[in-house]
């Protein structure tokens, strides 16, 4: 392997690694920003559903008896095809109303977990609660009765796969686009290494040739002072050895 | 080409290769980042619109309901307040307004009301030349027009102003991370290429020069052990072959002469010829020639850099990671438990340091380094998987033990290989690698933790340590076992510690700086920044500022201190800068004041520590003569490490007792008081002495 190949490969490896890092950082940031935006959008929907439901129980009705609740959930659910379901839970985490075919079957968490979510949402300072797991983006808002006591919890489950798909598209597009600068950078790095290291390699090759030439009996004196001094001493040693060998053979 | 004169040429070539490659790589990354920005904006714009439309639909619903109930939209009482509420809490939204079907603005959120009336006229005009349906660009905002209908007719139009700077703001965050990545990549590229050029070009040239110099002096005993094959090593191999042939011929001759001598056939003339040969030339054993290579300082540069890079990755988020695993218990406070592993780290490191020296003496540098790197890699990987503080402490101790062995071995290796010449420059290999690794590791570690999580970041750290192990195996020639160095008597250390003036100087000058470094910068800073809402990446960026200040200031400080003899003044300025930095940090909240304060602390570190050791011999000339400079410096180092150990624990105790602000005030004010004490001490020492001090042994 030549110097050009070794150093070129190292530089190209650093280049590829750095580009991969840039792609990864951008992807991670895009994914985070997209998630934030989506959560913020779902928050609008959750607060809308909460306000509408609170209006429905404003006259003192118990939450399970709110007649418009189902309509509200259906309307909210229809606002985005990737909403897996919208449910209204009571404080024990039991589903009171639901919209979306998979609302109960695919609703994440057990009733006990959802009861904990209810408590967390009731204590949330900004009036909404959110959580992200591997399958869904969950955004909720507590429903307050006319005495401002939390009596229920609107929960929107958004399909995480939709977000992952968007982020995936971004990653693929960016990775494809990044191939161009990578290819250009790679070519330039190779050209630079060739330009800088090839002459160095050639000079080393010339030195190698000089040293190989010294093995023969007749050769031109090396141009370099150090090599010439070495050559002279080497030839001296070689001749001294030859003389000793001859005298030993004569015995 | 002269191998002797090629040192200068190859250094120039090294810089050319390193800098030009770095520039090319950075340019490529900038091009990729520009593309990313465009794609980022294009990809997020539909989501911003979708969010605004969702909000518009929910707001429109209220107007629609009012209209359905027969309330004219021109007579809605609290509509302005409702729009205010609706716009609040959406950082990408600037305003919401409701206009009549004729285009007259009826209700508006607070932000829209503050604008001149002509603004809404321009909004209407902009919609005349709108770029996409219902969306018009205007004065840094995108105005979304959403019709509101009731009973089949349009009763008005909602206007939502989307902040066009929202995406740019998000991009600014990623741009900062990318800038850090570019900076780190540039540093890594320079480190890697310098090390590779040193290994592939400079080292063979040096060996060739040594071989030629020895040969010119008639010494043909040494041979290069070649492992890498390229133009440079082939040239070296060709020269080495000449030497090998001579040695083989000489060995054959000696053997034949021995046989002839045993047979009584060796004449005196031949004996004389052989003796003359032996007098003029030295030949080696062709089967086991002496090595031409000598261990060099530069051999360690790349593996050490990668190892320290991996070890430093967790610097910016370490206290946050420990805090996450903390479970309240009856005995210890949270701040104490968060600080404890940092002190355990220093303790384990100090305890394992002698092991590095012993391994280096008995097994050679390669084994000693690997013996430290293996536990470090395991420790880092398992630290990331810890599920309790007990596990975390255990793996931290294992990692620190390995760290102690590696750093001790590296320092001893550097000290041994730089005995004759260029001592300071050789020590720069260690200092350069560790500071570059601190800067890179702190910044990238924060970004990685922010993006891929703590566990995965520790996995990356362990991977880097494994890579450094591979590099040690490939690149570091084994120094081989050596005689153990002369053991320093403990009595000398005790003797130094008994000297009040030495101890007082160490306590005033050396220990406070370490206390601030570990207690404030490593422990309190990440906790405080996290409390202020900074992400791990932002914490890493800020902390990196401190390391950069130290790195940039150190050479300037040492130059000025040496040239003008400002050692004492620099130490005092360093103490003052550190103290002020901590005090400023206590009251700062915005990014810039916080950055300024950590820069002051970093500058203080450089000012206080750089001239410290240089000021020891003139201040304690008597002790240097009596106990030896080495023993004196060793005591300095030990007490400094006590400061490192105590720093986090002291900070934790103050934090638990009085909260962050008072804790930082106490540390900053304490630093200033100790610096004043140091000034008084130095002043008193500068006065002519009237009573002789007790004699050193």
């Amino acid at each position: 392997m030549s110097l050009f190949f070794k150093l070129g490969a190292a530089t190209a490896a650093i280049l590829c690694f750095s580009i991969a890092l840039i792609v990864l950082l951008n992807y991670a940031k895009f994914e985070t920003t997209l998630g934030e935006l989506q959560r913020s959008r779902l928050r609008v929907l959750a607060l809308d559903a909460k306000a509408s439901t609170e209006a429905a129980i404003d006259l003192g009705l118990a939450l399970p008896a709110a007649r418009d609740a189902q309509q509200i959930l259906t309307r909210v659910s229809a606002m985005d095809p990737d909403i897996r379901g919208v449910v209204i839970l009571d404080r024990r985490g039991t589903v009171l109303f639901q919209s979306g075919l998979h609302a109960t079957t695919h609703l994440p968490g057990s009733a006990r977990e959802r009861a904990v979510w209810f408590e967390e949402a009731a204590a949330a300072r900004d009036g909404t609660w959110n959580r992200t797991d591997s399958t869904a983006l969950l955004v909720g808002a507590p429903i307050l009765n006319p005495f401002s006591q939390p009596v229920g919890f609107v929960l929107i489950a958004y399909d995480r796969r939709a977000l992952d798909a968007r982020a995936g598209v971004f990653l693929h597009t960016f990775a494809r686009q990044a191939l161009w600068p990578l290819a250009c950078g790679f070519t330039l790095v190779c050209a630079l290494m060739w330009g800088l290291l090839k002459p160095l390699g050639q000079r080393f090759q010339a030195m190698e040739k000089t040293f190989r030439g010294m093995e023969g009996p007749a050769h031109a004196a090396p141009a370099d002072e150090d090599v010439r001094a070495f050559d002279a001493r080497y030839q001296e040693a070689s001749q001294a050895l030859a003389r000793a060998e001859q005298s030993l053979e004569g015995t | 080409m002269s191998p002797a004169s090629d040192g200068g040429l190859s250094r120039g070539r090294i810089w050319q290769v390193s800098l030009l490659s770095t520039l090319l790589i950075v340019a490529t990354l900038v091009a990729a980042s520009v593309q990313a920005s465009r794609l980022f904006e294009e990809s997020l714009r539909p989501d911003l619109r979708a969010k605004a439309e969702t909000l518009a639909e929910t707001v429109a619903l209220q107007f629609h309901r009012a209209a359905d109930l027969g309330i004219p939209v021109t007579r809605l009482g609290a509509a302005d307040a409702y729009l205010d509420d609706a716009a609040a809490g959406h950082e990408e939204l600037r305003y919401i307004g409701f206009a009549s079907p004729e285009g007259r603005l009826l209700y508006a959120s607070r932000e829209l009301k503050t604008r001149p009336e002509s603004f809404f006229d321009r909004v209407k005009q902009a919609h005349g030349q709108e770029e996409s349906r219902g969306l018009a660009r205007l004065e840094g905002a995108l105005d979304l027009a959403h019709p509101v209908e009731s009973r089949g007719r349009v009763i008005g139009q909602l206007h939502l102003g989307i902040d066009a700077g929202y995406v740019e703001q998000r991009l600014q965050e990623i741009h900062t991370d990318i800038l850090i990545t570019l900076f780190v990549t540039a540093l890594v590229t320079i480190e890697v290429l310098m090390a590779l050029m040193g290994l592939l070009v400079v080292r063979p040239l040096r060996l060739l020069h040594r071989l030629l110099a020895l040969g010119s002096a008639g010494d043909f005993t040494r041979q290069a052990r070649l492992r890498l094959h390229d133009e440079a090593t082939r040239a070296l191999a060709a020269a080495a072959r000449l030497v090998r042939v001579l040695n083989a011929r000489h060995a054959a001759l000696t053997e034949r002469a021995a046989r002839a001598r045993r047979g009584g056939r060796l004449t005196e003339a031949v004996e004389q010829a052989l003796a003359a040969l032996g007098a003029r030339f030295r030949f080696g054993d062709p089967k086991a020639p002496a090595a031409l290579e000598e261990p060099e300082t530069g051999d360690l540069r790349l593996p050490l850099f990668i190892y320290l890079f991996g070890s430093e990755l967790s610097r910016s988020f370490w206290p946050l990671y420990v805090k996450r695993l903390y479970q309240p218990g009856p005995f210890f406070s949270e701040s104490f438990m968060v600080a404890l592993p940092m002190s355990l780290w220093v303790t384990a490191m100090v305890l394992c340091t002698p092991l590095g020296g012993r391994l280096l003496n008995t097994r050679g540098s390669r084994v000693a380094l690997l013996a430290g790197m293996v536990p470090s890699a395991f420790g880092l990987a398992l630290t990331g998987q810890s599920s309790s503080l007990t596990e975390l402490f255990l793996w931290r101790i294992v990692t620190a033990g390995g760290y102690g062995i590696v750093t001790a071995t590296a320092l001893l290796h550097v000290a041994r290989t730089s005995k004759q010449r260029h001592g300071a420059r050789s020590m720069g290999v260690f200092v350069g690698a560790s500071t570059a690794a601190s800067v890179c590791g702190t910044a990238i570690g924060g970004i990685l933790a922010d993006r891929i999580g703590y566990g995965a970041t520790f996995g990356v750290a362990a991977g880097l340590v494994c890579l450094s192990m591979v590099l040690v195996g490939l690149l570091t020639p084994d120094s081989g076992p050596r005689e153990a160095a002369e053991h320093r008597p403990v009595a000398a250390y005790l003797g130094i510690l008994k000297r009040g003036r030495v101890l007082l100087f160490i306590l005033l000058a050396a220990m406070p700086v370490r206390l601030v470094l570990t207690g404030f910068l490593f422990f309190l800073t990440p906790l405080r920044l996290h409390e202020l809402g900074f992400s791990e990446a932002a914490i890493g960026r800020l902390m990196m500022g401190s390391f950069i200040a130290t790195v940039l200031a150190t050479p300037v400080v040492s130059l000025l201190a040496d040239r003008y003899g400002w050692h004492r003044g620099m130490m005092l300025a360093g103490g003052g800068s550190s103290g002020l930095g901590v005090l400023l940090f206590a009251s700062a909240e915005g990014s810039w004041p916080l950055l300024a304060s950590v820069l002051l602390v970093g500058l203080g570190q450089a000012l206080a520590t750089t001239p410290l050791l240089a000021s020891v011999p003139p201040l304690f000339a008597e002790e240097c003569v009596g106990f030896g400079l080495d023993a004196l410096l060793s005591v300095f180092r030990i007490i400094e490490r006590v400061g490192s150990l105590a720093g986090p624990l002291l900070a934790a105790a103050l934090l638990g007792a009085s909260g962050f602000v008072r804790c930082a005030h106490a540390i900053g004010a304490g630093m200033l008081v100790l610096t004043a004490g140091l000034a008084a001490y130095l002043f008193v020492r500068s006065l002519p002495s009237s009573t002789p001090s007790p004699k050193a042994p």
Side-chain angles (χ1 to χ4, degrees), chain A residues 29 40 166 196 212 224 226, chain B residues 2 4 47 51 173 241:
Chain A
K29 189 72 190 175
S40 152
R166 289 281 316 281
L196 290 175
R212 285 188 189 281
D224 177 74
D226 289 344
Chain B
S2 163
D47 293 274
K51 158 83 190 292
E173 290 166 15
R241 190 162 50 242

Side-chain angles (χ1 to χ4, degrees), chain A residues 235-249, chain B residues 246 249 253 256 277:
Chain A
Q235 298 301 340
E236 243 180 80
S238 183
Q239 284 161 10
L241 272 171
R243 278 196 299 274
E245 282 160 357
Q246 278 169 0
S247 57
L248 189 61
E249 269 171 22
Chain B
L246 284 185
R249 281 173 66 189
L253 181 71
R256 280 168 57 199
L277 190 67

Side-chain angles (χ1 to χ4, degrees), chain B residues 25 105 110 143 161 180 220 225 295 308 334 360 403 438 482 501 558 576 581 622 650 672 685:
Chain B
I25 289 177
L105 187 63
R110 203 170 292 122
D143 188 273
I180 301 280
F220 298 104
R225 294 188 182 115
L308 294 173
E334 184 188 58
L360 184 68
Y403 188 89
S438 295
R482 283 201 181 191
R501 59 182 194 166
S558 58
E622 199 180 295
L650 181 71
L672 290 178
R685 287 297 313 272

Side-chain angles (χ1 to χ4, degrees), chain B residues 365-379:
Chain B
S365 54
R366 199 184 302 166
V367 173
L369 285 170
L370 290 174
M373 286 174 173
V374 169
S376 288
F378 269 112

Side-chain angles (χ1 to χ4, degrees), chain B residues 41-73:
Chain B
E41 190 177 0
E42 280 168 21
S43 305
L44 279 183
R45 194 175 280 178
D47 293 274
L48 278 172
R49 183 179 176 144
K51 158 83 190 292
E53 276 178 348
T54 303
L55 188 60
E57 279 174 37
T58 58
V59 173
L61 198 66
Q62 305 306 320
F63 287 91
H64 167 85
R65 277 185 191 145
D68 281 357
L69 291 170
I71 306 169
V73 287

Side-chain angles (χ1 to χ4, degrees), chain B residues 599-615:
Chain B
L599 287 178
L600 273 177
V601 173
L603 179 68
Q605 289 291 320
L607 283 166
T609 54
T610 310
L612 184 65
L613 293 183
S615 62

